[in-house]
Amino acid sequence: MKKFFFICLLVLCLLMTGVLAAFAEDAAPDAASAGTGLAVTATELAAWGEESKSRALEAEPENDPTAEEADMESGIMYLYPFATVYADGTEMNADTHLNSVVVSEPEEAPFRSLALSMTPEEVMALFPNNNPEQAGTRNGAVLYLQENDDGSIRFGRVFRDGQRVQALQYGELTPAGDMFHLASLTCNFNEALLSGFAVGGFDPASTALYTREDRDELALELNALAAVTDYKAVKTSRNGLDLTAFGPEDLVFSDLDFLALQPEDLPGTPESETLDNEDGTSLIRVDGDGYIAVFMTDVDGKTSIVSLSIESDSLEGPRGVRLGDTFHEDYQRFRSEGRGTDENLFEVLYGAENEVPRGTAQFGGLDGITLRYVTAVPDGREAELLLRYETNTLNEIILYIR
C-alpha cells in the first residue's frame, strides 16, 4: 500500500509544479451518469506512452538529461516542447523505459479530448461516472469502480479540498505475474480549470509493483470511499440557464440551518456580546472561530438570526462558496441568463431588480465585483447572500435577513 500512497504524493507534487458495488469489466456507465466515455485501461495508456516515446526519439530535449539537475525522484527529466518526460536513463533510445509523462499543454500531446482550461465536470464527462454528485468525503470521491475476477481494478476518483478539485485520477491495476501493475492518468486543476495531466505506469518494467496485499488494501480503500456520501459537489455549469435561482434550500449548509440558527448552535467556543436597544429588544453578536453572527431578541424574548459573516477560508457558505474562491468558480454555481450589463456595469442575472427572487452583479469600481442573490423565506422576509471579490478573489461572504 505504500506504493499507492507514493503515487498520491506524486500527484500532489505534480499539482505543486505546474461504491461498494462492483461492475462487470466492460460495463458501460449508466445513461444518467455525468460521464459517457470508456474506462481508462493500462493498454490505452501504454499505447499513448509509446506514441510519446516515438515523439521523444524524433526530437531533441531542451535540457541536458546528463546534468545533475535532470536527475529527479521520478526519473531522468527530458524537457520537450510537447511534454516533460521522466525516463530510466540519460539517453533516449529504443531501450529506454518511460516512467511518466507530464503534459502542460494538452493540445500538444492529446489524450482523448482533454483541453486546457476544461472544468472538472467537462473532464469527467469524457470518462465513466457512476457518481455524478461526487458523493464522498470533503477530500475525495470515487467516480467509478470495476473489480474483476483476475484481481484487476479500474477506477476513477477525485482528489479535492471541499469544492476545489485538485486532481482527477483514472487508473487500472492489472496482474503482472504474482504481482500487480498500476497505470494511471492524473488530470491536474488550478482554480477549477484543467492545467495539465500526467500519465505513469506504462509497463511493469518501469514502475513499482503491488503485492496481493497492496492490491487488496487499494480495493478496500476505494470501496470504503465509495460507500461514503457525507459530502457532495455543488452543481456547476458554464451555461447559467442550467442552474437554479438562489432559494431557501440553500440556507442549509455546512451543518447549519441558517433560518433556525440560535447562538448555542454555533460551533466552537465563541464569545458573545449583548447590546440592549432600550425598547425591549436586544442584539447579540457572536464571534467564533472563522465567523461573526448577529442575532436579535424581540420583545417576546424570541431570538432569531440577523446575519452571518464567514471570516475563514476553511468554512463554506451556501453552494460551497468560500473565501479565496475565484469569481468564475462561484459565478458558475448560480443561475445567470446572459442579459448583459448596463452603462454602469450592473447586470440583473435573473429576476428583476426590485423583485424576489433575483440575482445581480456589479462589475468594476472601487469594490471590485459584487454578487447579490436574494430569496424569499417562509416567514415573508428576504434572505440575501452577498459575495464581494477583489482582484477576482472572493474576500467577503455575508448572509443576512431583512
Side-chain angles (χ1 to χ4, degrees):
M1 198 58 195
K2 292 180 180 178
K3 302 180 184 70
F4 183 69
F5 292 136
F6 172 77
I7 289 173
C8 291
L9 288 173
L10 175 61
V11 169
L12 295 177
C13 288
L14 291 172
L15 281 167
M16 295 288 290
T17 60
V19 212
L20 290 172
F23 302 92
E25 180 176 356
D26 294 317
D30 186 88
S33 67
T36 57
L38 298 175
V40 170
T41 67
T43 300
E44 179 184 16
L45 295 175
W48 186 87
E50 284 300 314
E51 293 177 4
S52 298
K53 182 178 177 179
S54 296
R55 293 185 66 179
L57 289 170
E58 295 173 356
E60 288 293 327
E62 298 176 337
N63 68 319
D64 179 4
T66 64
E68 182 178 353
E69 58 268 22
D71 190 357
M72 312 290 284
E73 185 176 356
S74 302
I76 303 301
M77 180 176 66
Y78 293 76
L79 298 177
Y80 295 103
F82 67 92
T84 299
V85 174
Y86 296 91
D88 65 351
T90 58
E91 182 180 353
M92 185 65 64
N93 56 45
D95 297 324
T96 302
H97 292 287
L98 302 191
N99 298 339
S100 62
V101 177
V102 179
V103 178
S104 58
E105 297 184 27
E107 293 79 7
E108 295 296 322
F111 185 92
R112 295 198 180 181
S113 300
L114 290 176
L116 203 62
S117 296
M118 274 184 160
T119 65
E121 290 71 23
E122 289 168 338
V123 173
M124 289 179 201
L126 302 177
F127 306 93
N129 187 357
N130 294 308
N131 182 13
E133 291 187 317
Q134 301 169 51
T137 69
R138 187 181 170 104
N139 297 319
V142 171
L143 301 175
Y144 68 87
L145 179 59
Q146 304 171 359
E147 294 187 66
N148 302 296
D149 292 339
D150 63 356
S152 62
I153 304 173
R154 294 178 183 176
F155 66 90
R157 70 185 301 180
V158 181
F159 293 92
R160 65 189 176 196
D161 172 16
Q163 297 298 313
R164 298 170 183 171
V165 173
Q166 299 165 321
L168 299 175
Q169 184 183 37
Y170 298 95
E172 183 178 30
L173 190 74
T174 56
D178 296 331
M179 306 285 278
F180 290 86
H181 159 242
L182 177 65
S184 66
L185 162 73
T186 302
C187 299
N188 299 318
F189 295 86
N190 181 31
E191 297 182 348
L193 299 173
L194 183 69
S195 59
F197 65 86
V199 181
F202 297 110
D203 62 73
S206 63
T207 189
L209 297 179
Y210 281 56
T211 64
R212 167 62 69 169
E213 182 181 14
D214 293 334
R215 180 265 174 215
D216 292 345
E217 287 189 36
L218 173 59
L220 181 64
E221 178 187 344
L222 290 171
N223 275 289
L225 179 57
V228 179
T229 59
D230 295 343
Y231 188 94
K232 297 179 180 179
V234 174
K235 181 178 180 180
T236 66
S237 176
R238 293 185 191 268
N239 182 0
L241 296 175
D242 291 340
L243 304 171
T244 59
F246 178 67
E249 66 280 1
D250 293 308
L251 300 178
V252 179
F253 56 90
S254 296
D255 297 323
L256 299 175
D257 184 341
F258 178 72
L259 295 178
L261 202 59
Q262 295 293 303
E264 60 269 21
D265 298 331
L266 291 165
T269 55
E271 297 181 357
S272 63
E273 179 183 1
T274 301
L275 175 65
D276 189 342
N277 293 326
E278 299 183 352
D279 61 358
T281 68
S282 60
L283 291 176
I284 304 171
R285 172 177 168 142
V286 181
D287 284 63
D289 186 11
Y291 62 85
I292 299 173
V294 177
F295 297 84
M296 173 172 279
T297 301
D298 63 20
V299 293
D300 296 322
K302 180 182 177 181
T303 299
S304 58
I305 188 72
V306 175
S307 67
L308 177 66
S309 175
I310 295 178
E311 306 290 316
S312 169
D313 65 1
S314 65
L315 300 179
E316 293 183 339
R319 301 203 185 182
V321 296
R322 185 170 157 196
L323 295 179
D325 286 351
T326 56
F327 171 76
H328 75 266
E329 290 179 88
D330 296 339
Y331 186 79
Q332 293 178 23
R333 298 178 192 176
F334 296 89
R335 184 172 181 84
S336 58
E337 298 176 354
R339 301 180 185 180
T341 60
D342 62 16
E343 65 276 8
N344 298 312
L345 298 180
F346 178 81
E347 179 178 1
V348 176
L349 302 172
Y350 63 85
E353 188 171 351
N354 296 310
E355 296 180 3
V356 176
R358 67 177 178 272
T360 64
Q362 179 65 63
F363 299 94
L366 297 178
D367 294 329
I369 303 173
T370 301
L371 295 176
R372 296 177 185 268
Y373 300 100
V374 183
T375 185
V377 296
D379 64 6
R381 295 181 297 168
E382 298 176 359
E384 177 172 317
L385 173 64
L386 181 149
L387 307 175
R388 283 200 173 101
Y389 301 80
E390 182 178 347
T391 61
N392 202 44
T393 301
L394 182 59
N395 65 358
E396 186 174 10
I397 304 172
I398 303 177
L399 182 60
Y400 58 93
I401 296 291
R402 58 187 188 184

